[in-house]
Each structure stands twice: as C-alpha cells, then as structure tokens.
Amino acid sequence: LNNHILPTFGNVPVASITPAEIRAWHTALSKRTGPTATAHAYSLIKTIPNTAVTDELAAVNPCHIRGAGQSQRAKQIKPASLTELRVITEAMPEHLQLMVLLGAWCALRLGEIGELRRSDVDLNAGTVTVRRAVSWTDGGPVVKTPKSAAGVRDVAIPPHMVPMVTD
C-alpha cells in the first residue's frame, strides 16, 4: 500500500479512478517491481474499490486487468535428489539435520519447522501438527499462524523418519 499504491492514488477519490489509470499504474509498476509484488499490489488495489462499491461510495470497480492479481512462478523448482538431500543434510550441524529432513520429507516450510514444538509431534499417530510459523524481519523474528487456514494442518511423518524424530 505505502510503496506501490499510495504514491499514485493516495490523494485520489476512489470513485474517480478510471480503468485507464489503473492500466497505466499497473504497466508502470510492472516495469519497476517483480511479478509477485505487482500481483500483490494489484490484488490489494482491486479490493479497495470493491469495498467502495459494496458501501455504495462508488458505482464501479475500475480494476479489470485479467490475471493481474496472479503471478507465474519465476523459475521451476527442482527437488533435491536423494543423493543431494543426503549431502545437504550431512553438511548441516547435527542439531539442524532433522530440520532439513522434515522440510524435505514432510513438505514443511522453513518458518514452520522453526516454530515446531515437542507438543506438535504425535509419535503414536505419526504426525506433526503445523500451528505456527516464524518469519524474520528487520525487527527480529515474528511468530504468527500460517498464511492461510489451510496452512494449519497435520502432516504425516514418513515411517522411515519416525526413529529420527523420536531421537
């Protein structure tokens, strides 16, 4: 909002913004930021006039750029092979090796792994419950719930990993 929307539209009444202005803003923004930042900014700006329309403060939403709220993955991610995973794991300090393996075998994000607690692990059921995630900002670590409701979930621990998790 502060970096991408307010500099252009901060002093403009929502009801007076035109589709042409939105298209020009989007084109200029996409030239100076990455596709993900552009998509996030467009998604946000689109919600503002939606609210104004709902509240009957504007007649229409000027945001009509098809697909602008979505971005394509910049590069295809190739998972590590079993050999590469072994090399990566062995290169880590011993107390962090389980984190690498949980990330790889349970598809957990770094922030989710960093906030796991013993109470999140159910060895009888063979599951890990994801309830929190940590992100790092200039102000230090910030612990929150995962980004979406779907992020709070139970994840099966592969049987070959249960002894390592138990240890």
Side-chain angles (χ1 to χ4, degrees):
L1 179 68
N2 290 331
N3 295 332
H4 304 308
I5 298 171
L6 292 180
T8 303
F9 296 110
N11 295 320
V12 180
V14 173
S16 69
I17 300 172
T18 67
E21 291 170 324
I22 292 293
R23 282 190 302 277
W25 166 82
H26 183 265
T27 299
L29 182 63
S30 66
K31 289 178 182 175
R32 61 176 206 273
T33 65
T36 302
T38 301
H40 287 173
Y42 183 81
S43 292
L44 178 58
I45 199 169
K46 187 174 182 178
T47 64
I48 295 167
N50 269 346
T51 302
V53 170
T54 300
D55 292 347
E56 298 179 359
L57 300 172
V60 295
N61 185 336
C63 301
H64 302 288
I65 303 171
R66 212 178 281 271
Q70 301 171 347
S71 64
Q72 299 297 319
R73 187 177 297 271
K75 56 185 168 183
Q76 190 66 11
I77 297 172
K78 179 183 165 237
S81 68
L82 292 177
T83 302
E84 291 167 331
L85 180 59
R86 182 179 48 77
V87 169
I88 293 166
T89 303
E90 290 174 357
M92 296 296 290
E94 188 175 345
H95 69 282
L96 299 178
Q97 290 180 359
L98 182 60
M99 291 176 71
V100 173
L101 294 171
L102 284 171
W105 288 102
C106 298
L108 298 177
R109 296 174 181 89
L110 179 60
E112 295 169 343
I113 298 166
E115 269 306 304
L116 285 179
R117 318 265 169 96
R118 289 175 190 246
S119 60
D120 297 328
V121 178
D122 183 342
L123 291 171
N124 293 325
T127 61
V128 172
T129 301
V130 178
R131 295 186 179 107
R132 294 164 303 283
V134 63
S135 59
W136 288 267
T137 65
D138 291 339
V142 177
V143 177
K144 295 182 178 180
T145 56
K147 289 182 186 180
S148 68
V152 177
R153 64 201 187 279
D154 289 338
V155 179
I157 302 169
H160 73 277
M161 285 198 54
V162 172
M164 290 180 265
V165 175
T166 301
D167 288 346

